[in-house]
Every structure is written in C-alpha cells, then in structure tokens.
Amino acid sequence: LRQEDVAGPWHEWFSDEEITKHLGGREFPNTMEKQQAFYEAAVNSCTDVVLAVVDKATDKHIGVVSLRKIDWVHRHADIAVVIGNKEFWKSGTSGLEAYTLAIKTAFQRLNLENLIGGYLAGYKSVEKLMELLQFREVGRYKGLCAIDGKREDVVVVQLCRDDWLKRSGGKPGKKAG
C-alpha cells in the first residue's frame, strides 16, 4: 500500500453496502480519516501484512489482500481479500490471482504453515473460490452475523502449507493455485 491509496477510492469501498455486506464485522461507514488510521497501523504492524491489489494494465488500485494476526511462533495467519473496484468483479480472476499470490507469499516468503479464512455461508462465489484454492472447512460459527435481518453462519476454512505443496507438486517455486 502507498500513502496515496488512502486518498483514492479505497476508503469508499468500505462505505459501500454491497461490498461490506458480506465482510461481517467491518465498521460502517468508513471515512478517509479511519482509512488513514488503518493504513498507519498496517504499515507499522509486526503482525499484519496488508498489500494493494493493483490492475497491471492500468496501475489502478482495485483491492486489498491481508495476512493479519500473524503468529510468528506457531506460523499461522488470517487471510482475506477484498476487491473493492466492482468493475473487476465480473471476471472473478482478480480475487483468485490475489489469493494465489497471497498464499504463495505466506508460505514461501513468510514461512507460515497455516492460513485461516472465513466467509458467510451461502456466499457461493467465495465458497467456490475457497474450494478451488483447496481451503478446507474446519468449523462454523452458527448465526454469528446478521445480514438483512437474517442470522448467517460464518464458515471457517484453513489451508496448510503441506497441502499447498502437494498440490503444487512438492516444489515451492512452482506456481500453485
């Protein structure tokens, strides 16, 4: 992330009900000041890595990927991706590529062993993405979030480094998706 990202549309994504609806627990509405505080905390954190997702063709900031609550002793982190620019939702490839690169970074550069994620049950596009990336469901929080007046389960998923390496042919340098 760069300081100039704070002044761009980044903060607006987290005030957009369509984007935040399925994030669960996100403060709404967001402001540029809150985004600045988040940026400063992320840049100075020893346990969070937050990166911009950028469209290569236009150099446009379209989303964020995070590896947060990194436990350097037990070598695990929470992983999340938000594609905030809705123009990039149609193809679905931006989220896939962002997750793929974040997983590779977590396992190869940061030497983590486990990644933990979550999504709202019934959010089919994310469910399919987690299956494609071979995250395993490890549990559910029943009725944890209220979406449109209805209680929704949160599905907790995990990806282990060993499983990821097996999928990539046991070669850490080989691209794995």
Side-chain angles (χ1 to χ4, degrees), residues 51-121:
L51 305 168
V53 177
V54 177
D55 177 48
K56 288 181 185 178
T58 62
D59 197 38
K60 189 177 201 176
H61 181 198
I62 64 166
V64 290
V65 59
S66 65
L67 297 166
R68 300 194 67 198
K69 299 184 206 168
I70 299 171
D71 184 320
W72 296 107
V73 173
H74 300 291
R75 296 174 34 209
H76 61 80
D78 291 350
I79 186 171
V81 171
V82 175
I83 303 299
N85 185 318
K86 294 178 189 178
E87 295 171 30
F88 292 85
W89 286 10
K90 293 176 188 122
S91 71
T93 59
S94 299
L96 175 61
E97 185 174 5
Y99 264 108
T100 300
L101 293 171
I103 291 166
K104 187 175 181 179
T105 298
F107 291 148
Q108 291 184 341
R109 296 202 56 192
L110 302 179
N111 200 30
L112 298 178
E113 288 291 332
N114 285 285
L115 294 174
I116 302 155
Y119 62 92
L120 290 173

Side-chain angles (χ1 to χ4, degrees), residues 115-160:
L115 294 174
I116 302 155
Y119 62 92
L120 290 173
Y123 195 11
K124 294 298 181 191
S125 60
V126 177
E127 182 180 337
K128 288 179 184 176
L129 180 61
M130 293 296 104
E131 288 174 8
L132 179 65
L133 292 167
Q134 296 183 352
F135 276 79
R136 287 186 224 185
E137 181 177 332
V138 294
R140 284 178 180 249
Y141 292 105
K142 296 287 184 190
L144 188 66
C145 292
I147 307 296
D148 295 332
K150 181 180 171 195
R151 301 305 303 181
E152 299 286 348
D153 292 355
V154 173
V155 180
V156 180
V157 293
Q158 174 185 20
L159 179 63
C160 300

